[in-house]
Amino acid sequence: MSLFWRIFSLNAVGLIAAAALLLGPVTVSTPVLPGEALAVVAGLAALLAANALVLRIGLAPLQRLGRAMATADLLRPGARALVAGPAETAALITTYNTMLDRLENERATGAARALSAQERERHRVARELHDEVGQTLTAVLLQLKRVADWVPEELREEVGQAQEATRAGLDEIRRIARRLRPGVLDELGLPSALRSLAAEFTTHGLTVRHHVPGDLPRLTEESELVVYRVAQEGLTNTARHAAADRAEVRLRPVTDGVELLVRDNGKGLGGAPEGSGISGMRERALLVGAALSVEPAPGRGTDIRLRIPAATGKSR
Ligand SMILES: Nc1ncnc2c1ncn2[C@@H]1O[C@H](COP(=O)(O)OP(=O)(O)OP(=O)(O)O)[C@@H](O)[C@H]1O
Ligand SMILES: [Mg+2]
């Protein structure tokens, strides 16, 4: 029943009962006798209390809906407001839930499109860096080597330095290309790619250990890329923000899937707002039906946990 009819019928019943009593057995004298005044006040109080109760019960679902709206987060989908209360409120809550369904779907499709465009673009830039700039620098290196054999003694050192600089540039380009497109992922698989990621982030101030067993449940290609990118962003954050001297990347089998853990012993998140790095991780996790949590690590530091479902059938 709608809130309107609930309140209306309650008041109607109350007033009709009062009128019936006044027209029938009950009389109110002038001036009013104490017993009569008591009965009128008691009746009024009962009517008001019943009104307040009906309103409170009828409006509670609206308050719950307000709270659900205020805390809704499309990056943590699935939470829905409980459909309850009078007819109009229940209809409103159902409409809101349907709207959330649609928004979550649209967001997921949009994010999938944006992320796959980003990966394609990274592939393209990596390939061009490798194939164009890399080849040119390799040719320069070969030419310098030939020149080095012919130049007079006093110029030999300078040519040697040019060779060194070119070689360093070439290494740098290969490194950038590798970071843009985790080629090791295609060539050697996820465990090796994660091990080389850990090695890449190990510098004199930070030691990154890895525990990546070889015999893990199979993941889809898409899921492997998500694991890789989450580990990459986790370690980038560790290197940039955590002031940690130790970090670890751990991959382990869990019921129906795999769990990635990136843990550091740094200063912790300290309530910092999430930036595009962490929300990017969440977007990627959503795409493959994985659950992501970013939490303080036991003791100190930060834990990033990604639970990703294993590939079913021959989806690889
Ligand atoms: N491992 C960490 N240790 C300490 N603080 C961290 C860690 N990871 C993230 N943070 C904090 O959380 C914030 C948000 O991280 P996030 O990766 O979303 O954005 P960002 O790294 O600042 O920028 P970007 O978009 O380039 O990733 C950081 O600015 C930092 O303050
Ligand atoms: Mg970041």
Side-chain angles (χ1 to χ4, degrees), residues 24-259:
V26 180
T27 48
V28 180
S29 354
T30 349
V32 185
L33 299 175
E36 292 167 353
L38 200 68
V40 169
V41 169
L44 198 61
L47 193 59
L48 287 177
N51 258 309
L53 190 70
V54 168
L55 276 173
R56 167 56 47 95
I57 294 175
L59 293 180
L62 269 186
Q63 279 171 343
R64 274 205 303 277
L65 177 65
R67 276 198 298 277
M69 282 173 156
T71 53
D73 182 354
L74 291 185
L75 283 179
R76 295 175 179 80
R80 292 288 177 272
L82 181 72
V83 180
E88 326 84 320
T89 317
L92 184 65
I93 299 176
T94 310
T95 312
Y96 169 70
N97 285 344
T98 319
M99 185 192 78
L100 267 192
D101 288 343
R102 210 183 55 239
L103 285 179
E104 280 175 8
N105 275 336
E106 281 169 11
R107 166 139 203 160
T109 332
R113 216 176 294 136
L115 285 173
S116 85
Q118 189 192 51
E119 289 294 341
R120 267 202 312 279
E121 188 60 10
R122 285 180 174 181
H123 259 84
R124 193 186 63 76
V125 174
R127 205 179 43 241
E128 280 183 13
L129 275 180
H130 183 272
D131 295 355
E132 308 285 329
V133 189
Q135 302 297 7
T136 312
L137 283 183
T138 310
V140 171
L141 202 59
L142 290 175
Q143 270 167 351
L144 281 174
K145 207 167 165 207
R146 269 202 302 278
V147 169
D149 297 338
W150 294 96
V151 293
E153 187 60 42
E154 61 268 27
L155 282 181
R156 207 155 276 173
E157 201 192 322
E158 267 180 62
V159 174
Q161 280 169 357
Q163 273 177 299
E164 267 318 302
T166 314
R167 207 169 285 132
L170 202 52
D171 283 349
E172 180 78 351
I173 288 208
R174 290 208 182 108
R175 241 196 32 241
I176 294 173
R178 210 170 42 235
R179 210 175 296 161
L180 283 172
R181 188 181 77 90
V184 264
L185 205 53
D186 310 334
E187 290 151 24
L188 302 175
L190 185 62
S192 304
L194 287 181
R195 286 184 202 119
S196 90
L197 199 62
E200 201 180 306
F201 276 91
T202 295
T203 53
H204 33 267
L206 177 68
T207 311
V208 184
R209 287 186 305 162
H210 55 77
H211 304 271
V212 186
D215 55 338
L216 285 164
R218 250 179 11 175
L219 298 178
T220 60
E221 228 168 86
E222 208 187 1
S223 300
E224 289 196 337
L225 189 59
V226 170
V227 172
Y228 184 85
R229 290 291 186 212
V230 168
Q232 193 177 30
E233 172 62 22
L235 289 177
T236 305
N237 278 349
T238 298
R240 276 178 59 195
H241 309 295
D245 59 3
R246 279 178 180 285
E248 63 175 305
V249 177
R250 190 184 281 271
L251 210 55
R252 67 183 179 101
V254 288
T255 23
D256 58 81
V258 171
E259 186 186 78

Side-chain angles (χ1 to χ4, degrees), residues 233-234 237-238 240-242 264 267-269 272-279 302:
E233 172 62 22
N237 278 349
T238 298
R240 276 178 59 195
H241 309 295
D264 66 53
K267 63 184 167 73
L269 290 163
E274 293 189 359
S276 58
I278 294 177
S279 58
T302 307

